[in-house]
Amino acid sequence: MAGLGEFDFIRDRLRPLSEDDPAALDLADDAALLAPEPGEEIVLACDTLIAGVHFLDTDSPEVVASRALRSNLSDLAAMGAVPRAYLAAIAWPVTLDPDWRADFTRSLHREQSRFGLTLIGGDTTATPGPLTLSFTLIGRVPAGSALRRSGARIGDDVWVSGMIGDAGLGLRVASGSGGEGISACRRAYERPEPRLALGQALRDLASAAIDVSDGLLADAGHLASASGCALRIKVDAVPRSASAQAWLARGGEVEALLTSGDDYELLFTAPPDRRTALDGVSARLDLVLTRIGVVTDGSGVAAERADGSQLVPTRTGFTHF
Ligand SMILES: [Mg+2]
């Protein structure tokens, strides 16, 4: 790497991110050493982000750090986990400006503090390819209480948190392709809010959960197939922001909102007798929770418009291959 050598970089830029967490062993040993608490299970999630694929080449170091950590945290949220620590494997392009790296690690420090995380290990290397970030998040849950995708039962309600489609619209703004009237959505793309408190509250209430990363319909499909049932979703019930509503009124396609991904909201199922409790969670967390459908016999996802017709998307969401 240009500028600081790898070991200097680890000492000067990454070791402060360990916050003297004993598990990190000062980032000076061969691996981290984490002692699990009695009665808890460790939840692990790993996600790779590649410049030009998962974020824009033009995204600032602040945005890249935010998205790298928050998209991973969303997976912990979907399991009902409390974040504990993370490992970061970073491949820096050989041409990358050292100032960019410094800004990135500073942003990462700010982001991790917000979520109570410490950096306990990882790897850095130089690459002739694009910037590549692979983060492994470690969380914890009381043993046996983790949320899974597979628990939905026929007759359960289908719920989703927050607003759907804003991040997809925000990506249009950030990439400069059609941002008129939807600039308020940019934040949803750049700084998604992992629903950690909701995930933890759902451990006792939801029958199944998944985070919306690939697109609402795609992730509903993942949950349906894991649970061995079908999800019937009312298109008009899917919550959308005022910006998204105005965008639709100007001729935007509702399909785009349901398939664009990166929402990092939680899609979950729960028996109808949990509605009052879930309304209470919504009020306590000051987070909109919306019933958007039901779990039925069969397989797959049916998205129904108000007139009873089916919305059959031309693409259901982000796929990696
Ligand atoms: Mg996920």
Short mmCIF file of all heavy atoms in Angstrom, two decimals, residues 234-262:
data_model
loop_
_atom_site.label_atom_id
_atom_site.label_comp_id
_atom_site.label_asym_id
_atom_site.label_seq_id
_atom_site.Cartn_x
_atom_site.Cartn_y
_atom_site.Cartn_z
N LYS A 234 -50.73 -7.59 0.24
CA LYS A 234 -51.56 -6.55 -0.39
C LYS A 234 -50.65 -5.39 -0.79
O LYS A 234 -50.09 -4.71 0.08
CB LYS A 234 -52.61 -6.05 0.60
CG LYS A 234 -53.72 -7.04 0.90
CD LYS A 234 -54.87 -6.26 1.55
CE LYS A 234 -56.08 -7.14 1.80
NZ LYS A 234 -55.87 -8.06 2.93
N VAL A 235 -50.53 -5.18 -2.08
CA VAL A 235 -49.61 -4.16 -2.60
C VAL A 235 -49.90 -2.79 -1.99
O VAL A 235 -48.99 -2.06 -1.57
CB VAL A 235 -49.70 -4.09 -4.14
CG1 VAL A 235 -48.94 -2.89 -4.69
CG2 VAL A 235 -49.16 -5.39 -4.75
N ASP A 236 -51.19 -2.45 -1.90
CA ASP A 236 -51.54 -1.11 -1.40
C ASP A 236 -51.28 -0.95 0.09
O ASP A 236 -51.25 0.18 0.59
CB ASP A 236 -53.02 -0.79 -1.69
CG ASP A 236 -53.23 -0.49 -3.17
OD1 ASP A 236 -52.22 -0.45 -3.91
OD2 ASP A 236 -54.38 -0.31 -3.58
N ALA A 237 -51.15 -2.06 0.80
CA ALA A 237 -50.90 -1.97 2.25
C ALA A 237 -49.42 -1.73 2.56
O ALA A 237 -49.08 -1.34 3.67
CB ALA A 237 -51.37 -3.25 2.94
N VAL A 238 -48.54 -1.98 1.59
CA VAL A 238 -47.10 -1.83 1.85
C VAL A 238 -46.80 -0.35 2.11
O VAL A 238 -47.10 0.51 1.27
CB VAL A 238 -46.27 -2.35 0.65
CG1 VAL A 238 -44.78 -2.08 0.87
CG2 VAL A 238 -46.52 -3.85 0.44
N PRO A 239 -46.22 -0.06 3.28
CA PRO A 239 -46.04 1.34 3.68
C PRO A 239 -45.02 2.07 2.81
O PRO A 239 -43.95 1.54 2.52
CB PRO A 239 -45.52 1.23 5.12
CG PRO A 239 -44.90 -0.13 5.20
CD PRO A 239 -45.68 -1.00 4.27
N ARG A 240 -45.37 3.27 2.38
CA ARG A 240 -44.42 4.08 1.62
C ARG A 240 -44.44 5.51 2.13
O ARG A 240 -45.45 6.00 2.62
CB ARG A 240 -44.69 4.02 0.13
CG ARG A 240 -46.13 3.94 -0.26
CD ARG A 240 -46.25 3.57 -1.74
NE ARG A 240 -47.61 3.37 -2.14
CZ ARG A 240 -48.15 2.20 -2.46
NH1 ARG A 240 -47.42 1.10 -2.39
NH2 ARG A 240 -49.40 2.11 -2.83
N SER A 241 -43.30 6.15 1.99
CA SER A 241 -43.13 7.51 2.49
C SER A 241 -43.90 8.50 1.62
O SER A 241 -44.33 8.17 0.51
CB SER A 241 -41.65 7.88 2.48
OG SER A 241 -41.20 7.99 1.15
N ALA A 242 -44.02 9.71 2.11
CA ALA A 242 -44.67 10.78 1.32
C ALA A 242 -43.90 11.00 0.02
O ALA A 242 -44.51 11.21 -1.04
CB ALA A 242 -44.72 12.06 2.14
N SER A 243 -42.56 10.90 0.09
CA SER A 243 -41.75 11.08 -1.13
C SER A 243 -42.07 10.00 -2.15
O SER A 243 -42.22 10.27 -3.35
CB SER A 243 -40.26 11.01 -0.81
OG SER A 243 -39.88 12.06 0.02
N ALA A 244 -42.14 8.76 -1.67
CA ALA A 244 -42.43 7.63 -2.58
C ALA A 244 -43.84 7.76 -3.15
O ALA A 244 -44.07 7.47 -4.34
CB ALA A 244 -42.26 6.31 -1.85
N GLN A 245 -44.77 8.19 -2.29
CA GLN A 245 -46.15 8.37 -2.74
C GLN A 245 -46.22 9.42 -3.85
O GLN A 245 -46.87 9.22 -4.88
CB GLN A 245 -46.99 8.82 -1.53
CG GLN A 245 -48.48 8.63 -1.68
CD GLN A 245 -48.88 7.17 -1.84
OE1 GLN A 245 -48.39 6.31 -1.10
NE2 GLN A 245 -49.72 6.89 -2.81
N ALA A 246 -45.50 10.52 -3.66
CA ALA A 246 -45.49 11.58 -4.67
C ALA A 246 -44.82 11.10 -5.95
O ALA A 246 -45.24 11.44 -7.06
CB ALA A 246 -44.75 12.81 -4.11
N TRP A 247 -43.79 10.28 -5.79
CA TRP A 247 -43.08 9.72 -6.95
C TRP A 247 -44.03 8.82 -7.75
O TRP A 247 -44.05 8.86 -8.99
CB TRP A 247 -41.86 8.95 -6.46
CG TRP A 247 -41.02 8.31 -7.52
CD1 TRP A 247 -40.11 8.93 -8.33
CD2 TRP A 247 -41.01 6.92 -7.88
NE1 TRP A 247 -39.54 8.00 -9.18
CE2 TRP A 247 -40.07 6.78 -8.93
CE3 TRP A 247 -41.70 5.80 -7.43
CZ2 TRP A 247 -39.80 5.54 -9.52
CZ3 TRP A 247 -41.44 4.56 -8.01
CH2 TRP A 247 -40.50 4.44 -9.04
N LEU A 248 -44.84 8.03 -7.04
CA LEU A 248 -45.83 7.18 -7.72
C LEU A 248 -46.85 8.05 -8.47
O LEU A 248 -47.22 7.74 -9.61
CB LEU A 248 -46.57 6.30 -6.72
CG LEU A 248 -45.79 5.12 -6.12
CD1 LEU A 248 -46.66 4.39 -5.10
CD2 LEU A 248 -45.32 4.16 -7.19
N ALA A 249 -47.26 9.13 -7.81
CA ALA A 249 -48.26 10.01 -8.42
C ALA A 249 -47.72 10.65 -9.71
O ALA A 249 -48.49 11.00 -10.60
CB ALA A 249 -48.67 11.11 -7.43
N ARG A 250 -46.39 10.76 -9.79
CA ARG A 250 -45.78 11.33 -11.01
C ARG A 250 -45.52 10.26 -12.06
O ARG A 250 -44.84 10.51 -13.06
CB ARG A 250 -44.47 12.05 -10.65
CG ARG A 250 -44.65 13.35 -9.87
CD ARG A 250 -43.37 14.19 -9.87
NE ARG A 250 -42.22 13.45 -9.33
CZ ARG A 250 -41.94 13.36 -8.04
NH1 ARG A 250 -42.70 13.96 -7.15
NH2 ARG A 250 -40.89 12.67 -7.63
N GLY A 251 -45.99 9.04 -11.79
CA GLY A 251 -45.87 8.00 -12.82
C GLY A 251 -44.88 6.90 -12.47
O GLY A 251 -44.62 6.02 -13.29
N GLY A 252 -44.29 6.95 -11.25
CA GLY A 252 -43.38 5.88 -10.83
C GLY A 252 -44.12 4.56 -10.70
O GLY A 252 -45.32 4.54 -10.46
N GLU A 253 -43.40 3.47 -10.87
CA GLU A 253 -44.00 2.13 -10.82
C GLU A 253 -43.90 1.57 -9.40
O GLU A 253 -42.81 1.52 -8.84
CB GLU A 253 -43.27 1.19 -11.78
CG GLU A 253 -43.57 1.44 -13.24
CD GLU A 253 -44.98 0.97 -13.61
OE1 GLU A 253 -45.45 -0.02 -13.02
OE2 GLU A 253 -45.60 1.62 -14.48
N VAL A 254 -45.02 1.10 -8.87
CA VAL A 254 -45.01 0.52 -7.53
C VAL A 254 -44.08 -0.70 -7.47
O VAL A 254 -43.47 -0.99 -6.46
CB VAL A 254 -46.44 0.18 -7.05
CG1 VAL A 254 -47.01 -1.03 -7.79
CG2 VAL A 254 -46.46 -0.04 -5.54
N GLU A 255 -43.97 -1.39 -8.61
CA GLU A 255 -43.08 -2.56 -8.65
C GLU A 255 -41.66 -2.20 -8.24
O GLU A 255 -40.97 -2.98 -7.57
CB GLU A 255 -43.09 -3.13 -10.08
CG GLU A 255 -42.15 -4.31 -10.22
CD GLU A 255 -42.06 -4.84 -11.65
OE1 GLU A 255 -43.01 -4.62 -12.43
OE2 GLU A 255 -41.05 -5.48 -11.96
N ALA A 256 -41.22 -1.00 -8.63
CA ALA A 256 -39.85 -0.58 -8.30
C ALA A 256 -39.66 -0.49 -6.79
O ALA A 256 -38.60 -0.84 -6.26
CB ALA A 256 -39.53 0.76 -8.95
N LEU A 257 -40.70 -0.06 -6.08
CA LEU A 257 -40.58 0.08 -4.62
C LEU A 257 -40.48 -1.29 -3.94
O LEU A 257 -39.83 -1.44 -2.92
CB LEU A 257 -41.78 0.85 -4.06
CG LEU A 257 -42.04 2.25 -4.64
CD1 LEU A 257 -43.27 2.86 -3.99
CD2 LEU A 257 -40.82 3.15 -4.45
N LEU A 258 -41.17 -2.27 -4.52
CA LEU A 258 -41.24 -3.60 -3.90
C LEU A 258 -40.07 -4.49 -4.28
O LEU A 258 -39.93 -5.59 -3.76
CB LEU A 258 -42.55 -4.29 -4.30
CG LEU A 258 -43.85 -3.53 -4.04
CD1 LEU A 258 -45.05 -4.40 -4.37
CD2 LEU A 258 -43.92 -3.09 -2.58
N THR A 259 -39.23 -4.04 -5.21
CA THR A 259 -38.15 -4.90 -5.70
C THR A 259 -36.76 -4.26 -5.61
O THR A 259 -35.77 -4.90 -5.94
CB THR A 259 -38.39 -5.29 -7.19
OG1 THR A 259 -38.49 -4.10 -7.96
CG2 THR A 259 -39.66 -6.10 -7.35
N SER A 260 -36.69 -3.00 -5.17
CA SER A 260 -35.40 -2.31 -5.31
C SER A 260 -34.39 -2.66 -4.22
O SER A 260 -33.19 -2.50 -4.43
CB SER A 260 -35.61 -0.79 -5.37
OG SER A 260 -36.38 -0.36 -4.28
N GLY A 261 -34.84 -3.12 -3.06
CA GLY A 261 -33.89 -3.59 -2.05
C GLY A 261 -33.23 -2.49 -1.23
O GLY A 261 -33.54 -1.31 -1.37
N ASP A 262 -32.30 -2.94 -0.37
CA ASP A 262 -31.53 -2.04 0.50
C ASP A 262 -32.38 -1.31 1.55
O ASP A 262 -31.92 -0.35 2.16
CB ASP A 262 -30.76 -0.99 -0.31
CG ASP A 262 -29.51 -1.56 -0.97
OD1 ASP A 262 -28.98 -2.57 -0.46
OD2 ASP A 262 -29.09 -1.01 -1.99
#
